[in-house]
Amino acid sequence: HSYFYNCSSLTSIPENLFINNPQITSFNGCFYSCTSLTSIPNSTFVNTPNVTDFEECFHYCRSLTTIPQGLFDNNPNVTNFRYCFEGCTSLTSIPQGLFDNNPIVSSFYACFYNCTSLTSIPNGLFDNNPNVTTFEDCFYECRALTSIPQGLFDNNPNVTSFGGCFEECRALTSIPNGLFDNNPNITNISNCFRGCEALTSIP
């Protein structure tokens, strides 16, 4: 699991690091607290098709500025992205289609929690993830986030929890119309927009 846990001086990951390890099923905590890591090669998980778990994989990678396009394209069996990028405080954007090839994901719990430099969410980020049940705390404390794309959760009919999803997103100025129209199974929406002090209206 936590292969490089707390390797705080690690600045880079070599290309094709796990190319000969197709049997790996979990990257839980793999680069947890690699606080000097600035980038991730897009080939990192290219030959790990059996992975089911990316929980806390890049947790507290505070120097990471970008996520490469297609990072998880060859990981169709992933179910868990809990805390995957939590505390990546230098991350400014999320690539289009990052989760397009992960159709059975069930949890994005706190996935981008405390990504304080994240300014936007790409359109259709979760369009190919129909089995998600929780977005709890997903964008909690994304304090630079100014907007939410229209229809962000339209293809996630099984979600039960949005608790704290956008809590403390202090720069968020608006909520798109019909944001939760296709989420009939919600049981928890507590604190979803708590602390969103720039919001002036509710659609």
Side-chain angles (χ1 to χ4, degrees):
H1 292 320
S2 305
Y3 310 118
F4 301 99
Y5 187 102
N6 204 28
C7 290
S8 57
S9 297
L10 183 71
T11 58
S12 63
I13 303 169
E15 293 280 343
N16 300 313
L17 179 60
F18 301 110
I19 197 72
N20 292 322
N21 310 110
Q23 74 282 5
I24 292 176
T25 58
S26 177
F27 283 109
N28 190 313
C30 185
F31 298 101
Y32 189 113
S33 209
C34 290
T35 53
S36 299
L37 185 68
T38 58
S39 63
I40 310 163
N42 64 359
S43 63
T44 304
F45 308 119
V46 72
N47 195 34
T48 54
N50 297 312
V51 176
T52 61
D53 187 5
F54 279 106
E55 181 165 340
E56 297 186 327
C57 188
F58 299 101
H59 194 289
Y60 290 143
C61 288
R62 288 182 285 216
S63 299
L64 187 68
T65 57
T66 58
I67 302 169
Q69 194 87 31
L71 181 62
F72 303 120
D73 275 6
N74 292 348
N75 312 117
N77 296 307
V78 179
T79 60
N80 184 13
F81 280 108
R82 286 170 57 96
Y83 300 103
C84 188
F85 297 100
E86 189 198 340
C88 292
T89 53
S90 297
L91 187 68
T92 57
S93 64
I94 301 168
Q96 193 83 33
L98 181 61
F99 304 118
D100 276 6
N101 289 1
N102 314 119
I104 62 171
V105 176
S106 60
S107 178
F108 282 108
Y109 187 105
C111 187
F112 298 100
Y113 188 123
N114 199 29
C115 289
T116 53
S117 298
L118 185 68
T119 58
S120 64
I121 302 168
N123 288 322
L125 181 62
F126 305 119
D127 276 5
N128 290 356
N129 314 119
N131 295 320
V132 178
T133 58
T134 180
F135 283 107
E136 191 161 341
D137 292 345
C138 188
F139 298 101
Y140 189 121
E141 285 194 7
C142 289
R143 297 183 178 184
L145 187 67
T146 57
S147 64
I148 302 168
Q150 190 78 36
L152 182 62
F153 305 119
D154 276 5
N155 291 352
N156 314 116
N158 297 311
V159 178
T160 58
S161 180
F162 284 104
C165 187
F166 298 100
E167 187 168 352
E168 296 294 333
C169 289
R170 298 180 184 180
L172 189 66
T173 57
S174 63
I175 301 169
N177 287 324
L179 183 61
F180 304 120
D181 277 5
N182 290 3
N183 314 114
N185 296 313
I186 295 173
T187 57
N188 178 17
I189 203 162
S190 64
N191 298 322
C192 188
F193 297 99
R194 183 175 184 264
C196 294
E197 57 192 34
L199 277 180
T200 57
S201 62
I202 301 168

